């Protein structure tokens, strides 16, 4: 195990989209002001897509106050992508059939978070950064390396112990990593196919080329249960690591686990 | 995504900033941009992303299954760090020291929630729980175990074991509100520059 290694040239934590987004940028630094632009972008996404705000486009559309053609182009594209993902997951991910905080049944928040962080990563890359990690409440995009010839080390939270890891991954970018789980009492993920909370798994982690898709797939895998490992294995570019309540761990063939350290 | 208290104004802005943001937002929002970001069916990207780490995926070779192991000590590199940082003292704002700002106490449907923002060198480095609902002994333990990821992320990163942590977050509105008020106080006091 290497000791810590590359200097972080820029570290920033922003509270936005109902979570904390942290930026860890290694050399080279992006141009001055790029991070401010990214932060502004994330707040714009929040204002557009928040299901906690009465005035967001997504809330107004969910309530029928706006029609599809009155929505911004980006919002339309997100909704179309939600429909595609519902098809791809056999209905296990369905942003149009889940209870949202605003009282509607439209909640694309998981996809939106992943998508917006991918956009943030592209903005930083356009501004000259090549090696960085953005963590949005446990959903991660990684670009480049942590240090020359060194992968990023990403811990996957142990479902029962917040300060422990179930597994540690060594990855180079570009990659997105998303985890679905219900650690907290009272928290739940609804299976849209039956309209009731699911308890099939303790945790589902999906890595792949696009964080928004990985997030949707993690939600779908969590809902589908352990058998979803075969389904995820058939999704090109995506790999999964699933943990059941009894501590059994299952991963698809391409999952880049460094060492399975799951313990109870 | 609850609208928190009013944010303190951010730092100076470049005159061309608005136009640039507009252009970036527009480019991200275009179909082409989305097609790029959603290029999730291109398997070659992932292969290159993790090349050298794993063999190329064979979709017919579906799964591996492992029984739980008992490597508890290997699995818990950050335990000590969590304990020390949640008790970080309030210190004078000198270089490298951690300065703590308590957030407002917010009533949630489960009870009062109050968090503390810990600032070091102008940045938020950790969030500690001051108060969390404790209708019975068990829930305190469960809630503290379920601290939002920022805390474990900041602390595990400091522990030099991993760079970042993936996990689900269920940040309650009360947690977010309390944290925002602590951050606002920290900014008002000039302790936060990032």
């Amino acid at each position: 195990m290497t000791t810590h290694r590359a200097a972080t040239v820029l570290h920033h934590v922003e509270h936005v989209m109902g979570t904390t987004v942290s930026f860890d940028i290694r050399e080279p630094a992006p141009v001055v002001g790029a991070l401010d632009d990214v932060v502004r972008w994330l707040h714009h996404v929040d204002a557009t897509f928040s299901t906690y705000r009465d005035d967001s486009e997504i809330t107004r559309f969910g309530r029928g106050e706006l029609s599809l053609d009155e929505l911004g182009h980006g919002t339309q594209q997100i909704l179309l992508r939600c429909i595609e993902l519902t098809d791809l997951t056999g209905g296990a991910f369905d942003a149009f059939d889940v209870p949202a905080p605003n009282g509607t049944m439209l909640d694309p928040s998981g996809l939106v978070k992943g998508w917006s962080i991918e956009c943030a990563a592209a903005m930083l890359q356009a501004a000259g950064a090549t090696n960085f990690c953005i963590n949005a409440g446990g959903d991660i995009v990684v670009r480049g390396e942590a240090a020359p010839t060194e992968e990023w080390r990403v811990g996957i939270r142990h479902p029962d112990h917040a300060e422990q890891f179930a597994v540690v991954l060594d990855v180079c970018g570009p990659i997105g990593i998303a985890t679905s789980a219900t650690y907290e009492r009272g928290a739940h993920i609804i299976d849209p196919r039956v309209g009731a909370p699911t308890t099939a798994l303790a945790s589902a982690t999906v890595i792949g080329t696009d964080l928004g898709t990985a997030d949707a797939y993690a939600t779908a895998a969590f809902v589908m249960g352990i058998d979803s490992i075969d389904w995820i294995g058939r999704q090109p570019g995506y790999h999964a690591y699933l943990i059941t309540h009894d501590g059994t761990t299952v991963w698809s063939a391409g999952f880049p686990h460094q060492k399975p350290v799951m313990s109870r | 995504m609850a609208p928190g208290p009013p944010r303190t104004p951010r730092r100076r802005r470049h005159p061309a900033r608005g136009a640039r943001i507009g252009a970036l937002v527009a480019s991200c929002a275009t179909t082409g941009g989305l097609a790029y970001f959603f290029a999730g069916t291109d398997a070659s990207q992932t292969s290159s992303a993790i090349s050298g780490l794993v063999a190329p995926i064979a979709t017919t070779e579906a799964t591996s299954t492992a029984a739980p192991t008992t490597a508890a000590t290997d699995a818990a590199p950050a335990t000590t760090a969590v304990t020390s940082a949640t008790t970080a003292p309030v210190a004078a704002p000198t270089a490298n020291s951690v300065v703590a700002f308590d957030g407002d106490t917010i009533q949630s449907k489960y009870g009062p929630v109050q968090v503390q923002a810990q600032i070091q060198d102008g940045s938020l480095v950790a969030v500690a729980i001051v108060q969390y609902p404790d209708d019975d002994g068990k829930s305190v333990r469960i809630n503290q175990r379920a601290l939002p990821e920022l805390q474990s992320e900041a602390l595990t990163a400091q522990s030099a074991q991993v760079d970042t942590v993936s996990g689900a977050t269920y940040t309650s509105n009360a947690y977010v509100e309390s944290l925002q008020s602590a951050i606002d106080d920290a900014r008002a006091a000039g302790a936060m520059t990032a």
Side-chain angles (χ1 to χ4, degrees), chain B residues 2-10 104 177 180-185 187-188:
Chain B
R7 306 176 62 82
T8 49
R10 295 188 64 78
D104 296 341
E177 266 189 68
Q180 186 61 58
S181 68
I183 288 172
D184 290 344
D185 286 351
R187 287 209 170 115

Side-chain angles (χ1 to χ4, degrees), chain B:
Chain B
M1 302 193 195
R7 306 176 62 82
T8 49
R10 295 188 64 78
R11 287 150 292 151
R12 74 276 178 243
R13 306 228 158 107
H14 189 277
R17 198 167 177 273
R20 250 160 70 227
I21 294 163
L24 282 162
V25 167
S27 72
C28 279
T30 58
T31 311
L34 282 156
Y36 169 74
F37 293 120
F38 288 146
T41 50
D42 182 0
S44 64
Q45 283 189 28
T46 295
S47 307
S48 66
I50 55 179
S51 63
L53 294 167
V54 295
I57 181 169
T59 47
T60 49
E61 176 201 336
T63 62
S64 314
T65 307
T69 69
T70 53
T73 47
D74 280 349
T79 308
T80 313
V82 170
T83 308
S84 61
T86 48
T87 56
V90 177
T94 55
N96 299 320
S97 68
V98 173
V99 190
F101 290 84
D102 285 350
D104 296 341
T105 301
I106 307 295
Q107 291 301 322
S108 77
K109 64 180 172 180
Y110 303 112
V113 173
Q114 185 184 23
V115 304
Q116 181 186 73
Q118 297 174 358
I119 316 294
Q120 187 175 28
D121 296 338
S123 289
L124 179 66
V125 292
V127 180
I129 300 293
V130 179
Q131 271 191 87
Y132 229 73
D134 57 346
D135 48 270
D136 59 52
K138 197 179 170 197
S139 71
V140 172
R141 194 165 55 81
I142 290 172
N143 284 327
Q144 287 183 349
R145 222 165 55 184
L147 303 187
E149 297 310 313
L150 174 65
Q151 175 160 349
S152 61
E153 185 204 347
L155 300 175
T156 50
Q158 284 168 8
S159 80
Q161 301 288 348
V162 302
D163 296 299
T164 193
V165 177
S166 178
T169 24
Y170 290 89
T171 26
S172 72
N173 287 336
Y175 174 95
V176 167
E177 266 189 68
S178 184
L179 176 59
Q180 186 61 58
S181 68
I183 288 172
D184 290 344
D185 286 351
R187 287 209 170 115
M192 260 184 100
T193 55

Side-chain angles (χ1 to χ4, degrees), chain A residues 140-229:
Chain A
I140 298 166
V141 294
V142 163
R143 291 292 181 270
E145 301 171 308
T149 73
E150 282 188 31
E151 296 96 354
W152 292 90
R153 311 201 78 215
V154 180
I156 306 300
R157 205 201 103 152
H158 191 297
D160 292 339
H161 307 290
E163 72 288 1
Q164 297 182 15
F165 307 127
V167 67
V168 175
L169 315 182
D170 285 347
V171 292
C172 288
I175 200 90
I177 304 163
T179 297
S180 273
T182 52
Y183 312 128
E184 210 169 272
R185 191 174 65 161
H188 55 259
I189 293 174
I190 299 287
D191 182 346
R193 300 170 302 177
V194 296
T198 179
T199 56
L201 290 173
S203 168
T205 296
V206 172
I207 75 165
T209 42
D210 170 69
L211 181 63
T213 305
D215 190 288
Y217 283 178
T219 303
F222 188 84
V223 162
M224 285 193 257
I226 200 156
D227 293 340
S228 67
I229 200 72

